[in-house]
Amino acid sequence: GVPRVMLSDTQRVYVEPADQQLTLKKNRDFTFNGRVRAGRFDFRGREFTFLYNDFKILLKNVDSLAMRIPGSQPNENGQVPNVALQSALQNLTGYLEIDRPENKSSIKKSPDYPRFTSEGPGYVYYDKPSIYNGVYARDKFYFQVNPFTLDSLDNFDAGGLSFQGKLVSAGIFPDIQETLTIQEDLSLGFR
């Protein structure tokens, strides 16, 4: 019966446990599967652990990391809504620092938080049916993202969002070392 746990309203970080279940541990730590929303980033996966003293979430199995950026056009209320990127990072592991451990109440401003650090490679796949009828099978054609750290997840500069790594292209080309950036169609890619 736990639909949502707000961890920091200032940093806009909350969790939504799958099946509304989490396991409460000693010292307010808890484990869960489900979703973590941190600013404009949305992590979905399994085996997540919130550590109260460190004020961070260990993200052991991130199935997908979806991102939103400010749109280019204001809506009828004059606000610029966020729009979803068409590419997601998948199969990540890492941790999310919500705020400084001594600043759990967010009394002091911490504009560089929340902060995510990946601890291994992540992947962008191009096997959606909308991309040439899904011809690029994910086991042979993908972009492998190097480990990275992103800060200011609630107010980052979308123009500076980039991921270094390599394109593995099913033998079409030798592996290409490149940097993914946001393309005009809101996908992650390179020219």
Side-chain angles (χ1 to χ4, degrees):
V2 182
R4 178 181 287 186
V5 177
M6 180 62 73
L7 298 174
S8 173
D9 54 357
T10 302
Q11 301 295 5
R12 299 184 337 181
V13 176
Y14 62 86
V15 303
E16 292 179 342
D19 301 322
Q20 298 187 357
Q21 294 181 9
L22 58 80
T23 302
L24 190 60
K25 307 274 188 168
K26 182 179 176 182
N27 192 35
R28 294 167 279 193
D29 295 352
F30 60 85
T31 60
F32 64 101
N33 300 324
R35 174 183 180 203
V36 175
R37 173 64 69 86
R40 294 191 221 140
F41 285 66
D42 194 1
F43 301 84
R44 293 178 186 263
R46 306 171 317 284
E47 300 179 68
F48 294 169
T49 302
F50 171 65
L51 300 175
Y52 178 77
N53 280 345
D54 296 334
F55 208 46
K56 70 181 179 181
I57 303 171
L58 304 179
L59 303 166
K60 187 172 181 182
N61 289 304
V62 179
D63 297 329
S64 68
L65 168 55
M67 296 164 272
R68 294 177 316 285
I69 60 170
S72 58
Q73 300 295 321
N75 61 21
E76 61 277 357
N77 298 327
Q79 300 171 327
V80 178
N82 290 328
V83 295
L85 293 184
Q86 298 302 307
S87 303
L89 294 176
Q90 297 183 344
N91 304 329
L92 292 165
T93 185
Y95 58 91
L96 174 72
E97 297 169 281
I98 301 165
D99 206 327
R100 295 186 323 274
E102 69 278 0
N103 195 38
K104 291 179 181 71
S105 63
S106 296
I107 289 176
K108 295 180 183 174
K109 284 241 176 225
S110 301
D112 53 332
Y113 286 89
R115 180 170 45 207
F116 173 68
T117 301
S118 74
E119 297 182 307
Y123 300 88
V124 177
Y125 298 110
Y126 302 94
D127 59 348
K128 289 182 182 177
S130 61
I131 303 173
Y132 296 106
N133 295 318
V135 71
Y136 298 118
R138 67 176 44 213
D139 61 334
K140 295 180 181 161
F141 193 102
Y142 55 87
F143 192 94
Q144 181 178 318
V145 176
N146 297 339
F148 62 90
T149 298
L150 292 172
D151 61 20
S152 312
L153 299 186
D154 58 345
N155 59 15
F156 66 94
D157 175 22
L161 188 64
S162 65
F163 301 97
Q164 295 181 349
K166 68 179 176 182
L167 177 70
V168 176
S169 62
I172 299 169
F173 302 106
D175 293 354
I176 300 171
Q177 299 292 324
E178 193 52 75
T179 301
L180 290 181
T181 58
I182 301 171
Q183 303 299 300
E184 289 179 18
D185 65 353
L186 297 178
S187 67
L188 290 173
F190 62 90
R191 293 186 175 274

PDB file of all heavy atoms in Angstrom, residues 63-98:
ATOM      1  N   ASP A  63      16.647  -0.852 -15.747  1.00  0.00           N
ATOM      2  CA  ASP A  63      16.200  -1.329 -17.062  1.00  0.00           C
ATOM      3  C   ASP A  63      16.213  -0.197 -18.071  1.00  0.00           C
ATOM      4  O   ASP A  63      16.607  -0.382 -19.218  1.00  0.00           O
ATOM      5  CB  ASP A  63      14.786  -1.917 -16.979  1.00  0.00           C
ATOM      6  CG  ASP A  63      14.717  -3.140 -16.087  1.00  0.00           C
ATOM      7  OD1 ASP A  63      15.721  -3.871 -16.007  1.00  0.00           O
ATOM      8  OD2 ASP A  63      13.660  -3.360 -15.475  1.00  0.00           O
ATOM      9  N   SER A  64      15.736   0.984 -17.648  1.00  0.00           N
ATOM     10  CA  SER A  64      15.728   2.122 -18.557  1.00  0.00           C
ATOM     11  C   SER A  64      15.833   3.430 -17.790  1.00  0.00           C
ATOM     12  O   SER A  64      15.344   3.554 -16.677  1.00  0.00           O
ATOM     13  CB  SER A  64      14.458   2.130 -19.419  1.00  0.00           C
ATOM     14  OG  SER A  64      13.330   2.404 -18.626  1.00  0.00           O
ATOM     15  N   LEU A  65      16.503   4.374 -18.422  1.00  0.00           N
ATOM     16  CA  LEU A  65      16.618   5.731 -17.912  1.00  0.00           C
ATOM     17  C   LEU A  65      16.073   6.651 -18.994  1.00  0.00           C
ATOM     18  O   LEU A  65      16.688   6.835 -20.044  1.00  0.00           O
ATOM     19  CB  LEU A  65      18.079   6.086 -17.606  1.00  0.00           C
ATOM     20  CG  LEU A  65      18.397   7.562 -17.338  1.00  0.00           C
ATOM     21  CD1 LEU A  65      17.538   8.126 -16.221  1.00  0.00           C
ATOM     22  CD2 LEU A  65      19.867   7.746 -17.033  1.00  0.00           C
ATOM     23  N   ALA A  66      14.880   7.179 -18.753  1.00  0.00           N
ATOM     24  CA  ALA A  66      14.252   8.123 -19.680  1.00  0.00           C
ATOM     25  C   ALA A  66      14.551   9.536 -19.203  1.00  0.00           C
ATOM     26  O   ALA A  66      14.626   9.799 -18.003  1.00  0.00           O
ATOM     27  CB  ALA A  66      12.750   7.880 -19.747  1.00  0.00           C
ATOM     28  N   MET A  67      14.717  10.439 -20.157  1.00  0.00           N
ATOM     29  CA  MET A  67      15.073  11.819 -19.836  1.00  0.00           C
ATOM     30  C   MET A  67      14.118  12.781 -20.527  1.00  0.00           C
ATOM     31  O   MET A  67      13.614  12.495 -21.613  1.00  0.00           O
ATOM     32  CB  MET A  67      16.505  12.106 -20.303  1.00  0.00           C
ATOM     33  CG  MET A  67      17.542  11.268 -19.589  1.00  0.00           C
ATOM     34  SD  MET A  67      19.138  11.254 -20.443  1.00  0.00           S
ATOM     35  CE  MET A  67      18.890   9.886 -21.560  1.00  0.00           C
ATOM     36  N   ARG A  68      13.895  13.925 -19.879  1.00  0.00           N
ATOM     37  CA  ARG A  68      13.077  14.988 -20.455  1.00  0.00           C
ATOM     38  C   ARG A  68      13.915  16.270 -20.470  1.00  0.00           C
ATOM     39  O   ARG A  68      14.726  16.484 -19.576  1.00  0.00           O
ATOM     40  CB  ARG A  68      11.809  15.194 -19.628  1.00  0.00           C
ATOM     41  CG  ARG A  68      10.882  13.998 -19.667  1.00  0.00           C
ATOM     42  CD  ARG A  68       9.645  14.156 -18.782  1.00  0.00           C
ATOM     43  NE  ARG A  68       9.866  14.711 -17.459  1.00  0.00           N
ATOM     44  CZ  ARG A  68      10.399  14.071 -16.427  1.00  0.00           C
ATOM     45  NH1 ARG A  68      10.796  12.840 -16.543  1.00  0.00           N
ATOM     46  NH2 ARG A  68      10.546  14.660 -15.271  1.00  0.00           N
ATOM     47  N   ILE A  69      13.651  17.077 -21.483  1.00  0.00           N
ATOM     48  CA  ILE A  69      14.351  18.351 -21.601  1.00  0.00           C
ATOM     49  C   ILE A  69      13.303  19.438 -21.824  1.00  0.00           C
ATOM     50  O   ILE A  69      12.181  19.135 -22.247  1.00  0.00           O
ATOM     51  CB  ILE A  69      15.372  18.347 -22.761  1.00  0.00           C
ATOM     52  CG1 ILE A  69      14.677  18.091 -24.104  1.00  0.00           C
ATOM     53  CG2 ILE A  69      16.472  17.332 -22.503  1.00  0.00           C
ATOM     54  CD1 ILE A  69      15.570  18.296 -25.308  1.00  0.00           C
ATOM     55  N   PRO A  70      13.635  20.700 -21.559  1.00  0.00           N
ATOM     56  CA  PRO A  70      12.671  21.766 -21.844  1.00  0.00           C
ATOM     57  C   PRO A  70      12.355  21.817 -23.334  1.00  0.00           C
ATOM     58  O   PRO A  70      13.249  21.694 -24.174  1.00  0.00           O
ATOM     59  CB  PRO A  70      13.396  23.040 -21.388  1.00  0.00           C
ATOM     60  CG  PRO A  70      14.435  22.575 -20.431  1.00  0.00           C
ATOM     61  CD  PRO A  70      14.842  21.210 -20.905  1.00  0.00           C
ATOM     62  N   GLY A  71      11.083  21.954 -23.638  1.00  0.00           N
ATOM     63  CA  GLY A  71      10.660  22.065 -25.033  1.00  0.00           C
ATOM     64  C   GLY A  71      11.062  23.407 -25.618  1.00  0.00           C
ATOM     65  O   GLY A  71      11.622  24.270 -24.940  1.00  0.00           O
ATOM     66  N   SER A  72      10.742  23.590 -26.876  1.00  0.00           N
ATOM     67  CA  SER A  72      11.130  24.831 -27.545  1.00  0.00           C
ATOM     68  C   SER A  72       9.994  25.846 -27.619  1.00  0.00           C
ATOM     69  O   SER A  72      10.221  27.020 -27.865  1.00  0.00           O
ATOM     70  CB  SER A  72      11.627  24.524 -28.961  1.00  0.00           C
ATOM     71  OG  SER A  72      10.619  23.858 -29.692  1.00  0.00           O
ATOM     72  N   GLN A  73       8.759  25.404 -27.380  1.00  0.00           N
ATOM     73  CA  GLN A  73       7.607  26.286 -27.517  1.00  0.00           C
ATOM     74  C   GLN A  73       6.833  26.388 -26.203  1.00  0.00           C
ATOM     75  O   GLN A  73       6.542  25.375 -25.583  1.00  0.00           O
ATOM     76  CB  GLN A  73       6.663  25.764 -28.602  1.00  0.00           C
ATOM     77  CG  GLN A  73       7.298  25.672 -29.982  1.00  0.00           C
ATOM     78  CD  GLN A  73       7.679  27.030 -30.515  1.00  0.00           C
ATOM     79  OE1 GLN A  73       6.962  28.002 -30.332  1.00  0.00           O
ATOM     80  NE2 GLN A  73       8.823  27.101 -31.188  1.00  0.00           N
ATOM     81  N   PRO A  74       6.454  27.599 -25.800  1.00  0.00           N
ATOM     82  CA  PRO A  74       5.610  27.729 -24.609  1.00  0.00           C
ATOM     83  C   PRO A  74       4.190  27.231 -24.907  1.00  0.00           C
ATOM     84  O   PRO A  74       3.719  27.285 -26.037  1.00  0.00           O
ATOM     85  CB  PRO A  74       5.615  29.225 -24.314  1.00  0.00           C
ATOM     86  CG  PRO A  74       6.144  29.895 -25.519  1.00  0.00           C
ATOM     87  CD  PRO A  74       6.843  28.886 -26.353  1.00  0.00           C
ATOM     88  N   ASN A  75       3.526  26.725 -23.856  1.00  0.00           N
ATOM     89  CA  ASN A  75       2.140  26.290 -24.013  1.00  0.00           C
ATOM     90  C   ASN A  75       1.201  27.490 -23.873  1.00  0.00           C
ATOM     91  O   ASN A  75       1.652  28.637 -23.781  1.00  0.00           O
ATOM     92  CB  ASN A  75       1.802  25.166 -23.017  1.00  0.00           C
ATOM     93  CG  ASN A  75       1.953  25.597 -21.568  1.00  0.00           C
ATOM     94  OD1 ASN A  75       1.935  26.785 -21.239  1.00  0.00           O
ATOM     95  ND2 ASN A  75       2.089  24.625 -20.685  1.00  0.00           N
ATOM     96  N   GLU A  76      -0.114  27.223 -23.847  1.00  0.00           N
ATOM     97  CA  GLU A  76      -1.106  28.307 -23.780  1.00  0.00           C
ATOM     98  C   GLU A  76      -1.002  29.129 -22.499  1.00  0.00           C
ATOM     99  O   GLU A  76      -1.477  30.255 -22.442  1.00  0.00           O
ATOM    100  CB  GLU A  76      -2.533  27.746 -23.947  1.00  0.00           C
ATOM    101  CG  GLU A  76      -2.949  26.743 -22.890  1.00  0.00           C
ATOM    102  CD  GLU A  76      -2.482  25.316 -23.168  1.00  0.00           C
ATOM    103  OE1 GLU A  76      -1.872  25.051 -24.206  1.00  0.00           O
ATOM    104  OE2 GLU A  76      -2.722  24.456 -22.315  1.00  0.00           O
ATOM    105  N   ASN A  77      -0.346  28.582 -21.460  1.00  0.00           N
ATOM    106  CA  ASN A  77      -0.153  29.313 -20.208  1.00  0.00           C
ATOM    107  C   ASN A  77       1.171  30.073 -20.175  1.00  0.00           C
ATOM    108  O   ASN A  77       1.526  30.650 -19.151  1.00  0.00           O
ATOM    109  CB  ASN A  77      -0.216  28.346 -19.022  1.00  0.00           C
ATOM    110  CG  ASN A  77      -1.554  27.667 -18.911  1.00  0.00           C
ATOM    111  OD1 ASN A  77      -2.580  28.240 -19.237  1.00  0.00           O
ATOM    112  ND2 ASN A  77      -1.541  26.418 -18.462  1.00  0.00           N
ATOM    113  N   GLY A  78       1.924  30.011 -21.285  1.00  0.00           N
ATOM    114  CA  GLY A  78       3.202  30.707 -21.340  1.00  0.00           C
ATOM    115  C   GLY A  78       4.346  29.934 -20.723  1.00  0.00           C
ATOM    116  O   GLY A  78       5.464  30.430 -20.651  1.00  0.00           O
ATOM    117  N   GLN A  79       4.103  28.709 -20.261  1.00  0.00           N
ATOM    118  CA  GLN A  79       5.149  27.875 -19.670  1.00  0.00           C
ATOM    119  C   GLN A  79       5.752  26.982 -20.747  1.00  0.00           C
ATOM    120  O   GLN A  79       5.068  26.570 -21.684  1.00  0.00           O
ATOM    121  CB  GLN A  79       4.580  27.019 -18.548  1.00  0.00           C
ATOM    122  CG  GLN A  79       3.980  27.828 -17.428  1.00  0.00           C
ATOM    123  CD  GLN A  79       3.228  26.946 -16.446  1.00  0.00           C
ATOM    124  OE1 GLN A  79       2.637  25.933 -16.815  1.00  0.00           O
ATOM    125  NE2 GLN A  79       3.243  27.337 -15.185  1.00  0.00           N
ATOM    126  N   VAL A  80       7.027  26.690 -20.604  1.00  0.00           N
ATOM    127  CA  VAL A  80       7.699  25.784 -21.539  1.00  0.00           C
ATOM    128  C   VAL A  80       7.700  24.392 -20.916  1.00  0.00           C
ATOM    129  O   VAL A  80       8.420  24.143 -19.947  1.00  0.00           O
ATOM    130  CB  VAL A  80       9.141  26.255 -21.831  1.00  0.00           C
ATOM    131  CG1 VAL A  80       9.839  25.280 -22.761  1.00  0.00           C
ATOM    132  CG2 VAL A  80       9.138  27.657 -22.421  1.00  0.00           C
ATOM    133  N   PRO A  81       6.873  23.475 -21.446  1.00  0.00           N
ATOM    134  CA  PRO A  81       6.812  22.142 -20.860  1.00  0.00           C
ATOM    135  C   PRO A  81       8.029  21.304 -21.254  1.00  0.00           C
ATOM    136  O   PRO A  81       8.685  21.569 -22.265  1.00  0.00           O
ATOM    137  CB  PRO A  81       5.534  21.550 -21.463  1.00  0.00           C
ATOM    138  CG  PRO A  81       5.379  22.264 -22.766  1.00  0.00           C
ATOM    139  CD  PRO A  81       5.947  23.635 -22.550  1.00  0.00           C
ATOM    140  N   ASN A  82       8.308  20.295 -20.435  1.00  0.00           N
ATOM    141  CA  ASN A  82       9.375  19.354 -20.760  1.00  0.00           C
ATOM    142  C   ASN A  82       8.878  18.374 -21.814  1.00  0.00           C
ATOM    143  O   ASN A  82       7.697  18.032 -21.842  1.00  0.00           O
ATOM    144  CB  ASN A  82       9.807  18.580 -19.508  1.00  0.00           C
ATOM    145  CG  ASN A  82      10.547  19.457 -18.527  1.00  0.00           C
ATOM    146  OD1 ASN A  82      11.251  20.384 -18.923  1.00  0.00           O
ATOM    147  ND2 ASN A  82      10.397  19.176 -17.253  1.00  0.00           N
ATOM    148  N   VAL A  83       9.785  17.933 -22.669  1.00  0.00           N
ATOM    149  CA  VAL A  83       9.466  16.931 -23.683  1.00  0.00           C
ATOM    150  C   VAL A  83      10.399  15.738 -23.492  1.00  0.00           C
ATOM    151  O   VAL A  83      11.551  15.894 -23.075  1.00  0.00           O
ATOM    152  CB  VAL A  83       9.590  17.487 -25.116  1.00  0.00           C
ATOM    153  CG1 VAL A  83       8.555  18.571 -25.365  1.00  0.00           C
ATOM    154  CG2 VAL A  83      10.982  18.018 -25.391  1.00  0.00           C
ATOM    155  N   ALA A  84       9.903  14.545 -23.795  1.00  0.00           N
ATOM    156  CA  ALA A  84      10.677  13.315 -23.600  1.00  0.00           C
ATOM    157  C   ALA A  84      11.641  13.102 -24.752  1.00  0.00           C
ATOM    158  O   ALA A  84      11.299  13.313 -25.919  1.00  0.00           O
ATOM    159  CB  ALA A  84       9.734  12.128 -23.483  1.00  0.00           C
ATOM    160  N   LEU A  85      12.859  12.681 -24.422  1.00  0.00           N
ATOM    161  CA  LEU A  85      13.779  12.240 -25.462  1.00  0.00           C
ATOM    162  C   LEU A  85      13.271  10.920 -26.019  1.00  0.00           C
ATOM    163  O   LEU A  85      12.677  10.107 -25.295  1.00  0.00           O
ATOM    164  CB  LEU A  85      15.193  12.059 -24.899  1.00  0.00           C
ATOM    165  CG  LEU A  85      15.924  13.309 -24.449  1.00  0.00           C
ATOM    166  CD1 LEU A  85      17.347  12.968 -24.012  1.00  0.00           C
ATOM    167  CD2 LEU A  85      15.954  14.354 -25.549  1.00  0.00           C
ATOM    168  N   GLN A  86      13.516  10.668 -27.291  1.00  0.00           N
ATOM    169  CA  GLN A  86      13.040   9.460 -27.950  1.00  0.00           C
ATOM    170  C   GLN A  86      13.933   8.257 -27.676  1.00  0.00           C
ATOM    171  O   GLN A  86      13.553   7.131 -27.965  1.00  0.00           O
ATOM    172  CB  GLN A  86      12.922   9.693 -29.458  1.00  0.00           C
ATOM    173  CG  GLN A  86      11.929  10.780 -29.812  1.00  0.00           C
ATOM    174  CD  GLN A  86      10.539  10.467 -29.268  1.00  0.00           C
ATOM    175  OE1 GLN A  86       9.999   9.393 -29.510  1.00  0.00           O
ATOM    176  NE2 GLN A  86       9.965  11.385 -28.514  1.00  0.00           N
ATOM    177  N   SER A  87      15.121   8.479 -27.136  1.00  0.00           N
ATOM    178  CA  SER A  87      16.048   7.398 -26.805  1.00  0.00           C
ATOM    179  C   SER A  87      16.155   7.300 -25.290  1.00  0.00           C
ATOM    180  O   SER A  87      16.106   8.308 -24.588  1.00  0.00           O
ATOM    181  CB  SER A  87      17.441   7.680 -27.372  1.00  0.00           C
ATOM    182  OG  SER A  87      17.401   7.867 -28.760  1.00  0.00           O
ATOM    183  N   ALA A  88      16.319   6.072 -24.820  1.00  0.00           N
ATOM    184  CA  ALA A  88      16.539   5.845 -23.388  1.00  0.00           C
ATOM    185  C   ALA A  88      17.857   5.103 -23.219  1.00  0.00           C
ATOM    186  O   ALA A  88      18.262   4.332 -24.095  1.00  0.00           O
ATOM    187  CB  ALA A  88      15.401   5.022 -22.797  1.00  0.00           C
ATOM    188  N   LEU A  89      18.528   5.350 -22.112  1.00  0.00           N
ATOM    189  CA  LEU A  89      19.685   4.536 -21.753  1.00  0.00           C
ATOM    190  C   LEU A  89      19.160   3.302 -21.050  1.00  0.00           C
ATOM    191  O   LEU A  89      18.225   3.388 -20.239  1.00  0.00           O
ATOM    192  CB  LEU A  89      20.622   5.314 -20.832  1.00  0.00           C
ATOM    193  CG  LEU A  89      21.317   6.524 -21.437  1.00  0.00           C
ATOM    194  CD1 LEU A  89      22.136   7.250 -20.387  1.00  0.00           C
ATOM    195  CD2 LEU A  89      22.209   6.116 -22.588  1.00  0.00           C
ATOM    196  N   GLN A  90      19.747   2.154 -21.343  1.00  0.00           N
ATOM    197  CA  GLN A  90      19.249   0.905 -20.778  1.00  0.00           C
ATOM    198  C   GLN A  90      20.374   0.091 -20.164  1.00  0.00           C
ATOM    199  O   GLN A  90      21.548   0.290 -20.478  1.00  0.00           O
ATOM    200  CB  GLN A  90      18.528   0.090 -21.853  1.00  0.00           C
ATOM    201  CG  GLN A  90      17.314   0.820 -22.382  1.00  0.00           C
ATOM    202  CD  GLN A  90      16.536   0.013 -23.403  1.00  0.00           C
ATOM    203  OE1 GLN A  90      17.011  -0.973 -23.952  1.00  0.00           O
ATOM    204  NE2 GLN A  90      15.314   0.430 -23.664  1.00  0.00           N
ATOM    205  N   ASN A  91      19.979  -0.819 -19.288  1.00  0.00           N
ATOM    206  CA  ASN A  91      20.891  -1.773 -18.649  1.00  0.00           C
ATOM    207  C   ASN A  91      22.038  -1.080 -17.921  1.00  0.00           C
ATOM    208  O   ASN A  91      23.198  -1.415 -18.097  1.00  0.00           O
ATOM    209  CB  ASN A  91      21.436  -2.775 -19.672  1.00  0.00           C
ATOM    210  CG  ASN A  91      20.334  -3.508 -20.387  1.00  0.00           C
ATOM    211  OD1 ASN A  91      19.268  -3.734 -19.827  1.00  0.00           O
ATOM    212  ND2 ASN A  91      20.568  -3.881 -21.627  1.00  0.00           N
ATOM    213  N   LEU A  92      21.681  -0.116 -17.084  1.00  0.00           N
ATOM    214  CA  LEU A  92      22.657   0.643 -16.302  1.00  0.00           C
ATOM    215  C   LEU A  92      22.742   0.110 -14.882  1.00  0.00           C
ATOM    216  O   LEU A  92      21.830  -0.560 -14.390  1.00  0.00           O
ATOM    217  CB  LEU A  92      22.237   2.109 -16.209  1.00  0.00           C
ATOM    218  CG  LEU A  92      22.274   2.955 -17.459  1.00  0.00           C
ATOM    219  CD1 LEU A  92      21.488   4.235 -17.244  1.00  0.00           C
ATOM    220  CD2 LEU A  92      23.696   3.283 -17.825  1.00  0.00           C
ATOM    221  N   THR A  93      23.795   0.474 -14.218  1.00  0.00           N
ATOM    222  CA  THR A  93      23.925   0.299 -12.780  1.00  0.00           C
ATOM    223  C   THR A  93      24.646   1.539 -12.250  1.00  0.00           C
ATOM    224  O   THR A  93      25.432   2.154 -12.969  1.00  0.00           O
ATOM    225  CB  THR A  93      24.692  -0.996 -12.424  1.00  0.00           C
ATOM    226  OG1 THR A  93      24.694  -1.166 -11.012  1.00  0.00           O
ATOM    227  CG2 THR A  93      26.107  -0.982 -12.941  1.00  0.00           C
ATOM    228  N   GLY A  94      24.334   1.931 -11.021  1.00  0.00           N
ATOM    229  CA  GLY A  94      24.975   3.112 -10.469  1.00  0.00           C
ATOM    230  C   GLY A  94      24.292   3.560  -9.199  1.00  0.00           C
ATOM    231  O   GLY A  94      23.641   2.769  -8.512  1.00  0.00           O
ATOM    232  N   TYR A  95      24.430   4.844  -8.875  1.00  0.00           N
ATOM    233  CA  TYR A  95      23.790   5.373  -7.670  1.00  0.00           C
ATOM    234  C   TYR A  95      23.369   6.818  -7.901  1.00  0.00           C
ATOM    235  O   TYR A  95      23.952   7.544  -8.704  1.00  0.00           O
ATOM    236  CB  TYR A  95      24.698   5.251  -6.444  1.00  0.00           C
ATOM    237  CG  TYR A  95      26.033   5.931  -6.567  1.00  0.00           C
ATOM    238  CD1 TYR A  95      26.208   7.255  -6.159  1.00  0.00           C
ATOM    239  CD2 TYR A  95      27.136   5.252  -7.081  1.00  0.00           C
ATOM    240  CE1 TYR A  95      27.437   7.879  -6.265  1.00  0.00           C
ATOM    241  CE2 TYR A  95      28.364   5.872  -7.197  1.00  0.00           C
ATOM    242  CZ  TYR A  95      28.511   7.183  -6.787  1.00  0.00           C
ATOM    243  OH  TYR A  95      29.730   7.804  -6.902  1.00  0.00           O
ATOM    244  N   LEU A  96      22.325   7.196  -7.181  1.00  0.00           N
ATOM    245  CA  LEU A  96      21.752   8.529  -7.260  1.00  0.00           C
ATOM    246  C   LEU A  96      21.938   9.209  -5.913  1.00  0.00           C
ATOM    247  O   LEU A  96      21.396   8.742  -4.901  1.00  0.00           O
ATOM    248  CB  LEU A  96      20.257   8.442  -7.601  1.00  0.00           C
ATOM    249  CG  LEU A  96      19.497   9.758  -7.581  1.00  0.00           C
ATOM    250  CD1 LEU A  96      19.893  10.606  -8.786  1.00  0.00           C
ATOM    251  CD2 LEU A  96      18.002   9.502  -7.587  1.00  0.00           C
ATOM    252  N   GLU A  97      22.691  10.304  -5.894  1.00  0.00           N
ATOM    253  CA  GLU A  97      22.855  11.109  -4.689  1.00  0.00           C
ATOM    254  C   GLU A  97      21.748  12.160  -4.697  1.00  0.00           C
ATOM    255  O   GLU A  97      21.691  12.992  -5.598  1.00  0.00           O
ATOM    256  CB  GLU A  97      24.224  11.774  -4.668  1.00  0.00           C
ATOM    257  CG  GLU A  97      25.368  10.779  -4.628  1.00  0.00           C
ATOM    258  CD  GLU A  97      26.694  11.455  -4.880  1.00  0.00           C
ATOM    259  OE1 GLU A  97      27.002  11.728  -6.060  1.00  0.00           O
ATOM    260  OE2 GLU A  97      27.403  11.710  -3.890  1.00  0.00           O
ATOM    261  N   ILE A  98      20.874  12.106  -3.712  1.00  0.00           N
ATOM    262  CA  ILE A  98      19.719  13.002  -3.677  1.00  0.00           C
ATOM    263  C   ILE A  98      20.127  14.415  -3.283  1.00  0.00           C
ATOM    264  O   ILE A  98      19.727  15.396  -3.902  1.00  0.00           O
ATOM    265  CB  ILE A  98      18.652  12.447  -2.718  1.00  0.00           C
ATOM    266  CG1 ILE A  98      18.227  11.062  -3.198  1.00  0.00           C
ATOM    267  CG2 ILE A  98      17.465  13.399  -2.611  1.00  0.00           C
ATOM    268  CD1 ILE A  98      17.464  10.261  -2.168  1.00  0.00           C
TER     269      ILE A  98
END
